[in-house]
Amino acid sequence: LLERRVRREGGEGGPMGGSRFRGPRAKQDGGGSAGKNMADLNVMKKADVMSNGAADACDNGEKWSQEKTSNVKKKGSLMATLSRTFGKGGLKRADVKSKWKDYDETFTQSAGEGISDKERTKDGVDTFYNLVTDIYEWGWGQSFHFSPQLHGKSIAQSTTAHETRISDTLGLKPGLVCLDVGCGIGGPLCTIASHSGAKIIGVTINNYQVERCKMFAEKAGISNFEVHQGNFLDLKFPDNSMDGAYAIEATCHSPSLEQAYAEIHRVMKPGAKFVCYEWVTTEKYDPKNQQHVDCIDAINYANALPEMRSWSEIGRVATQVGFDVVEERDLALPPAGPWWDRLKLGKTRYKFNKALFSILSLFCILPKGVGDVHKMLVTVTSSLVEGGELGIFSPMYMVVLQKR
């Protein structure tokens, strides 16, 4: 029944409400039915890549896109995904439920005060990505981030543009070495390595993500990369060794933004630039407004954030650790379209996936606790949409920093 539904709809219904692949009909109409079917971030057809100005500049972008599409299709079978024990990441199956309880206890927060014990952040974030990586990959693709929606462009094209903006801002090219801070399973790493020709060195706290990143990059034919398990608060690289650095929605997980920025600053060469997309509350956020506070608390809880920083803190912290602020800009503001619209699509799919996870959990196909994780991720979509529509939250506050 599940496989028939997948074939009928032209793809898998991801947990975030998206269609895993564009079906043949969507391909014929150029992907214009985004309001009905959310395009997979990883499926970049030749027409998509060639129509995106950012991807046009990539000499081997077309080859990489085709490889990536092929790899995603090979991976995309629901039953094949479940066969590797979906939802446990690097955990033992029997440990998923207890780790979920630990996570729930660590990141529960209220009154806008953040978590009570920030010393637990590192282990909590590692647990989070063990619990959510398979779900994110299934429903969101290989790029675990939001993007400003470009008018007239697909989600895949907007995602590629958001990633290649970093490469172009840093001036990456063959022969340079750039640090990807919090690389996840390597969606942006692959894009930027392919687009620029520079060597990209990724670091993620989660060892399971390291293995996934290696697999995707190698299958895509990308060789100019490294990926390491590590803590970006304690990088294992020499001083003044990186020609550039970037972080996409990653340093928001840090219990100390000062410590994260200082460590990145340490490994960069003098004159090198660091581009960061931060999660922040905007100037519209009112800490005395209970609706605002509850919304941000919910976002923090379901995304392993120890707290949410204000947009006004970012440049100040960067300056304190020795960076010059070249540019600050909220990429969520117009002319970009609403980044949260993709979360509002497919209410029926949300319901289907909720039922699907309940059934798979009931019959012990999924580890105990995965259903709770999925419920958390689905529930927080409402808070993310609310934060976007109220204008109190942005997941793409861009700062361009330069080491003196």
Side-chain angles (χ1 to χ4, degrees):
L1 176 62
L2 292 174
E3 290 178 348
R4 284 201 300 271
R5 182 181 185 275
V6 168
R7 287 196 297 270
R8 183 173 70 251
E9 297 192 358
E12 297 174 14
M16 295 302 197
S19 171
R20 188 64 178 134
F21 297 110
R22 290 181 188 163
R25 200 160 117 192
K27 183 179 178 182
Q28 290 170 5
D29 67 19
S33 57
K36 297 179 181 178
N37 293 293
M38 186 182 353
D40 187 304
L41 296 182
N42 303 293
V43 183
M44 302 184 203
K45 300 297 185 183
K46 178 178 178 181
D48 288 340
V49 175
M50 296 309 293
S51 64
N52 183 351
D56 286 344
C58 177
D59 293 335
N60 59 345
E62 179 181 346
K63 177 182 177 182
W64 170 72
S65 177
Q66 292 169 344
E67 289 280 353
K68 196 172 185 182
T69 299
S70 174
N71 294 335
V72 171
K73 288 183 177 179
K74 290 176 184 177
K75 167 186 75 68
S77 164
L78 176 62
M79 293 308 160
T81 303
L82 292 176
S83 69
R84 58 181 170 88
T85 316
F86 183 92
K88 75 178 184 67
L91 301 173
K92 294 180 180 179
R93 182 184 177 95
D95 292 341
V96 172
K97 184 69 173 179
S98 63
K99 288 295 186 180
W100 155 249
K101 290 181 178 179
D102 288 344
Y103 174 85
D104 178 61
E105 179 184 341
T106 298
F107 286 98
T108 293
Q109 49 195 281
S110 62
E113 297 176 353
I115 64 175
S116 58
D117 185 1
K118 289 185 171 58
E119 293 297 319
R120 299 176 65 178
T121 303
K122 174 181 172 292
D123 291 339
V125 171
D126 186 24
T127 294
F128 175 74
Y129 282 111
N130 275 322
L131 294 172
V132 306
T133 291
D134 287 336
I135 300 176
Y136 276 4
E137 187 182 327
W138 179 44
W140 205 251
Q142 293 170 32
S143 294
F144 293 0
H145 63 78
F146 293 101
S147 303
Q149 184 58 44
L150 303 181
H151 295 288
K153 300 297 183 180
S154 68
I155 291 173
Q157 291 171 322
S158 297
T159 299
T160 300
H162 196 47
E163 294 169 358
T164 54
R165 178 202 303 270
I166 291 173
S167 175
D168 295 339
T169 300
L170 293 175
L172 297 181
K173 59 185 179 180
L176 298 182
V177 179
C178 180
L179 179 65
D180 182 332
V181 179
C183 65
I185 63 171
L189 180 150
C190 289
T191 300
I192 293 171
S194 179
H195 178 71
S196 68
K199 182 176 182 178
I200 309 300
I201 299 179
V203 174
T204 172
I205 195 70
N206 184 261
N207 197 59
Y208 179 68
Q209 290 192 332
V210 170
E211 298 307 314
R212 301 296 290 167
C213 181
K214 287 180 180 177
M215 183 198 72
F216 286 125
E218 289 169 359
K219 284 191 174 182
I222 295 172
S223 58
N224 51 319
F225 83 100
E226 292 179 13
V227 59
H228 303 275
Q229 189 278 330
N231 183 354
F232 56 62
L233 299 181
D234 184 23
L235 294 167
K236 306 304 181 184
F237 304 111
D239 295 357
N240 306 317
S241 58
M242 299 291 172
D243 297 300
Y246 64 88
I248 303 178
E249 303 180 21
T251 52
C252 54
H253 289 300
S254 176
S256 168
L257 189 64
E258 290 89 344
Q259 189 176 351
Y261 279 13
E263 185 66 353
I264 294 164
H265 180 275
R266 178 185 68 80
V267 302
M268 291 171 55
K269 295 178 180 179
K273 291 181 180 179
F274 170 44
V275 176
C276 189
Y277 296 158
E278 288 284 2
W279 282 33
V280 298
T281 53
T282 72
E283 58 187 2
K284 292 184 178 181
Y285 175 75
D286 180 1
K288 296 181 181 179
N289 184 314
Q290 193 60 47
Q291 181 186 9
H292 290 191
V293 172
D294 291 345
C295 176
I296 298 302
D297 282 342
I299 292 173
N300 289 347
Y301 165 71
N303 291 279
L305 268 64
E307 62 183 354
M308 184 76 71
R309 281 124 198 164
S310 166
W311 68 275
S312 61
E313 294 179 54
I314 309 304
R316 175 179 57 79
V317 170
T319 301
Q320 286 177 351
V321 303
F323 282 116
D324 288 328
V325 178
V326 177
E327 182 180 5
E328 286 189 78
R329 180 154 57 105
D330 187 355
L331 299 177
L333 296 176
W339 56 266
W340 59 89
D341 270 1
R342 61 184 305 185
L343 295 172
K344 298 166 67 175
L345 305 178
K347 295 292 185 181
T348 300
R349 296 187 191 279
Y350 284 131
K351 293 179 180 179
F352 171 82
N353 288 319
K354 180 180 178 181
L356 173 62
F357 271 69
S358 297
I359 293 169
L360 294 176
S361 297
L362 178 65
F363 288 96
C364 298
I365 296 172
L366 295 179
K368 291 181 180 179
V370 173
D372 295 317
V373 176
H374 178 259
K375 180 180 178 181
M376 174 186 74
L377 296 178
V378 170
T379 301
V380 77
T381 59
S382 297
S383 299
L384 289 164
V385 170
E386 181 183 26
E389 290 182 336
L390 290 173
I392 63 172
F393 165 69
S394 172
M396 53 193 73
Y397 188 79
M398 181 184 74
V399 287
V400 181
L401 310 174
Q402 188 166 29
K403 184 171 179 177
R404 297 167 189 158

